């Protein structure tokens, strides 16, 4: 029987979002015997719901709620209602991501020092270095099953597309060419099978070779008895006490009914649009500009991840 926690149970950690952050945290807490309630705005899909069909899967899993977009012309005119391809489902965008698992390089932690001031940008150096993050990279790569040194899994074989790109790269002087690192198994790993190179990674992996909280972390967290996932639960506001500590989350279920789940702590693990939206909507007399917004930067500096395909 699935675990069910009471709305007034203030011993649970409420996690908003079930993707890379929320789904991973739910399993980590479950391993320590800590109870959590995961609020996911989207539906729950099973493995047999995944189709090797680009358009059908786009319509099925995408966050297609109406958006109000402001900013550069390229964004507002080209994608007025769809500024990002974000998944609305249990597992979040770990269903859709391509599995590419690159590390930031050391120089990228000090871009302002490397590049200097740029007009229209507010480049800053990170307050931490690559060396600070390196052990956590290893931990994450082992958890997800990333090909390469951390797991010992070989990199992917070169498909025909890669061979063409590699030939061009070699002609202009590139020396190090490899298909990876990817959080897609090239051999059995963590009870998941290997990649079949079907080519529909961004529509969801039917084989479970690509790491996703949909079929890895979330089911394990639930199986522990310490996690309840509530699909079709749209977070509306985070409440806090007189000391400013989060105490509850108000959300709407799939029928539009509002509920209030009390919490010992709240983890906001939505996406780059929904997380700032919720923080701004959670304004109060103590936090008139929204939660966690003393800098005034919440909801600003949104940057698109450009792709070509």
């Amino acid at each position: 029987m699935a675990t069910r926690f009471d709305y007034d149970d203030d011993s649970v950690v409420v996690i908003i979002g079930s993707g890379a952050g929320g789904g991973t945290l739910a399993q980590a807490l479950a391993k320590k015997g800590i109870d959590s309630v995961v609020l996911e705005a989207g539906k729950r899909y099973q493995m047999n719901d995944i189709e090797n069909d680009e358009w059908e899967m786009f319509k099925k899993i995408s966050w297609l709620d109406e958006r109000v977009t402001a900013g550069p012309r390229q964004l507002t005119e080209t994608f007025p209602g769809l500024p990002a391809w974000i998944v609305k489902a249990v597992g979040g965008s770990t269903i859709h991501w391509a599995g590419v698992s690159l590390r930031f390089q050391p120089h990228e932690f000090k871009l302002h020092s490397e590049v200097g001031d740029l007009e229209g940008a507010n480049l800053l150096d990170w307050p931490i270095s690559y060396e600070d993050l390196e052990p956590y990279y290893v931990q994450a790569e082992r958890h997800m099953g990333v090909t390469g040194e951390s797991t010992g899994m070989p990199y992917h074989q070169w498909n025909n597309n890669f061979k063409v790109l590699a030939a061009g790269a070699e002609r202009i002087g590139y020396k190090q060419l490899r298909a990876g690192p990817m959080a897609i198994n090239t051999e059995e790993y963590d009870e998941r099978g290997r990649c079949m190179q079907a080519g529909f990674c961004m529509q969801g992996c039917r084989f479970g070779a690509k790491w996703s909280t949909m079929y890895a972390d979330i089911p394990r967290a639930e199986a522990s008895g310490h996690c309840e996932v509530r699909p079709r639960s749209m977070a509306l506001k985070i409440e806090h006490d007189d000391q400013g500590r989060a105490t509850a989350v108000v959300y709407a279920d799939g029928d539009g009914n509002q509920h209030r789940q009390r919490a010992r702590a709240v983890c906001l693990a939505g996406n780059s649009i929904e997380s700032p939206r919720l923080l701004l909507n959670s304004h109060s007399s103590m936090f008139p500009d929204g939660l966690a917004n003393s800098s005034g930067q919440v909801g600003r500096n949104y940057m698109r991840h450009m792709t070509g395909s």
Side-chain angles (χ1 to χ4, degrees), residues 58-80:
F58 175 82
K59 292 187 290 184
K60 183 181 291 187
I61 64 176
S62 297
W63 195 303
L64 298 176
D65 300 43
E66 183 179 359
R67 300 287 191 192
V68 178
T69 308
R73 180 178 59 81
Q74 307 97 296
L75 187 67
T76 55
E77 293 185 8
T78 310
F79 301 103

Side-chain angles (χ1 to χ4, degrees), residues 235-246:
L236 303 176
K237 184 176 182 179
I238 301 171
E239 297 182 343
H240 62 80
D241 60 19
D242 293 341
Q243 284 72 49
R245 293 183 59 85

